[in-house]
Structures are given as structure tokens and as C-alpha cells.
Amino acid sequence: MNFLSCGTNRPFPKRLTGNYVGTIESYQVPVQDTFLLVASTQMAVQLQNEDMLMQVGNQLQKVPFLVTAKTKAYYALEVKVQPNVTEHWRLYRKGKKLERLALSPRPSVILIKK
């Protein structure tokens, strides 16, 4: 019997799963000859081994992700938020931190584990 194969479907250690919260800072989006101000918004993520529940403001969605790289500092994630939109995130091994990388014009977001 091989005990090493039991429960090895996790892309990262269980201690990194859980609830993360942060704030998307306000930013400006160019619209024709002017700029539209997008107000700051709360963001919450429930990170699981298979997918994540992501809440931005009042919008809640379940999104799949893929671990694309593992470094000494973090796990690189590709998060598919829409059929044609993939975001890049970092799940840090230490510091209880999840980072949603900037996607112009939206700034990056640091989420801290609760």
C-alpha cells in the first residue's frame, strides 16, 4: 500500500487554502476623450484546491485556476475569470498573502488571509 499517493491531488499545501480579503484601489479607465473613475472595491476570495470563489463588490463567481509554476517564494496561478480572460495571480508560501497582478488599467491587489 502506497500512502504517498493518498491526497496528493492538491496543487499546494492545505494551510494555504482559505479566505483572503483585500481592496482594489480606485483607478481610471480611458473612455473616448475622457477618463472614467472606477471607485475602490472590496474583494474576497475563498481559495480551494480545485477552484476559487471570488467576490468583487456584489458580484460572486466560481473560477477555475491552474498552478503554472512553483518558486521558493510563491505559486504562480492562471485564473480563468471569463472564457477569454485569464489573470495571473501569486499565492505566497509565507506571509498569508495572495496577489492578483495588475491588468492595465486595473491595479494589482494584495489579499491577506483571514
Side-chain angles (χ1 to χ4, degrees):
M1 185 174 225
N2 184 355
F3 289 104
L4 294 176
S5 66
C6 295
T8 57
N9 289 340
R10 289 188 228 144
F12 40 76
K14 185 178 179 179
R15 65 181 167 75
L16 297 177
T17 62
N19 298 315
Y20 291 80
V21 295
T23 302
I24 303 170
E25 297 299 327
S26 63
Y27 59 97
Q28 294 183 345
V29 178
V31 178
Q32 294 178 354
D33 294 335
T34 187
F35 289 92
L36 173 67
L37 179 65
V38 178
S40 64
T41 306
Q42 292 295 323
M43 180 175 193
V45 169
Q46 182 183 30
L47 183 63
Q48 303 163 349
N49 281 316
E50 305 83 29
D51 52 35
M52 66 173 69
L53 287 174
M54 182 170 56
Q55 182 173 5
V56 178
N58 294 328
Q59 182 183 9
L60 179 66
Q61 69 183 106
K62 186 175 186 177
V63 293
F65 66 85
L66 178 66
V67 175
T68 58
K70 298 177 185 179
T71 71
K72 288 184 179 184
Y74 61 85
Y75 293 89
L77 308 177
E78 281 189 0
V79 179
K80 193 149 188 124
V81 294
Q82 294 177 3
N84 295 328
V85 179
T86 301
E87 296 181 350
H88 298 279
W89 294 49
R90 290 182 182 158
L91 175 61
Y92 290 88
R93 294 177 181 262
K94 296 182 181 180
K96 300 181 179 182
K97 185 169 67 170
L98 180 63
E99 180 180 17
R100 181 187 193 191
L101 301 178
L103 184 61
S104 185
R106 190 202 68 221
S108 64
V109 180
I110 301 291
L111 300 126
I112 305 298
K113 189 170 182 184
K114 291 171 60 175

